[in-house]
Structures are given as C-alpha cells and as structure tokens.
C-alpha cells in the first residue's frame, strides 16, 4: 500500500507474466507463480513496446535490444491493439477492492530484472568514509 498526497491509501500491483487474454478494455496476465490477474485498461493506461533486436532475419522480444548498428533501440509508445495472447508483459496498476486497473503495460519486457516502470530502488543514504580533519572544541 502507498499513501497518496491527499492522505488516502492505495494498493499498488506489479506483475510480470504472459498475456492470457486481451481486449480493448481489459488484459489478463498470468505470472510464473500461477497468479492470474485481470486489469481494466482505459485511456490513462500507458502502453510501451520494447523493440526486438534484428537478428538473422528473425525477431525475439528482448529488453535493451540493439539494432544492426549496435545502438540501443528505444522503447516506443503502443496501444492495447499491439498486445496479443502469449506476449510477455509487465504491468503496474492499482487495486480498489477486487478490481485492478492497469496504469502501465510494458510489452516485450523479457525475463530481465526490474519492471522498467519508473520505480527507483536505490539507497538514499550516503556512505562517507570518515576522513574529516575537523577537531572538536
């Protein structure tokens, strides 16, 4: 659960898995642990496609894919029509009661770590080495 700016709380969902079904208004994703979750898709849902690399005339989904010139291919905006059953996706959303709404869907997310959904997980604490030269009074 996260606290909203207005003081209310909201349950945040994050899931990586395979699309079981998809329509213009909903997507059902099943993760490796067997969890199957249906998310409502609306005009506020951001959909991103991670491009597949060009390799031997065939393409496979891969995060951080590189083109023939060796440059990293940039993710592109997509629509729910770009997603099909069997696609690998990562979903971030919110849950209200028993209903879940997708806020972001990333297609072609692969099996790499991280969700690529804008959540920082770095440590905010600095680690000084204690080499100061000041003397106390």
């Amino acid at each position: 659960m996260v606290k909203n700016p207005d003081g209310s709380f909201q349950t945040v969902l994050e899931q990586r898995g395979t699309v079981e079904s998809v329509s213009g208004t909903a997507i059902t994703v099943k993760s490796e642990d067997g969890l199957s979750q249906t998310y409502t898709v609306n005009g506020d849902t951001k959909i991103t496609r991670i491009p597949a690399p060009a390799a031997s005339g065939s393409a496979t989904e891969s995060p951080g894919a590189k083109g023939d010139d060796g440059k990293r291919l940039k993710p592109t905006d997509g629509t729910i029509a770009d997603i099909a059953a069997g696609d690998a996706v990562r979903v971030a959303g919110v849950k209200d009661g028993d209903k879940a709404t997708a806020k972001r869907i990333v297609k072609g997310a692969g099996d790499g770590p991280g969700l690529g959904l804008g959540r920082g997980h770095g440590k905010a604490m600095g680690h000084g080495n204690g080499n100061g030269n000041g003397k106390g009074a």
Side-chain angles (χ1 to χ4, degrees):
M1 251 193 197
V2 296
K3 189 173 185 178
N4 293 320
D6 67 3
S8 65
F9 288 89
Q10 190 170 43
T11 301
V12 175
L13 302 174
E14 294 181 354
Q15 183 179 12
R16 178 175 62 197
T18 303
V19 176
E20 288 188 306
S21 65
V22 64
S23 71
T25 59
I27 184 170
T28 300
V29 178
K30 186 172 186 177
S31 48
E32 192 174 302
D33 64 1
L35 173 70
S36 183
Q37 177 69 53
T38 299
Y39 300 86
T40 298
V41 175
N42 59 33
D44 294 331
T45 303
K46 180 171 176 51
I47 298 172
T48 303
R49 296 179 299 164
I50 295 178
S56 305
S58 67
T60 57
E61 301 283 342
S62 174
K66 296 188 181 201
D68 290 336
D69 60 1
K71 292 183 181 175
R72 183 180 177 100
L73 299 174
K74 294 182 181 179
T76 57
D77 291 339
T79 67
I80 196 66
D82 295 321
I83 298 174
D87 286 344
V89 296
R90 293 184 185 169
V91 181
V94 294
K95 191 167 188 175
D96 184 12
D98 61 348
K99 295 183 181 188
T101 301
K103 294 293 184 184
R104 181 148 187 202
I105 301 170
V106 179
K107 175 186 175 185
D111 293 326
L115 289 171
L117 300 171
R119 297 196 177 280
H121 296 289
K123 295 194 181 337
M125 303 284 282
H127 297 286
N129 60 12
N131 290 334
N133 293 324
K135 293 187 179 188

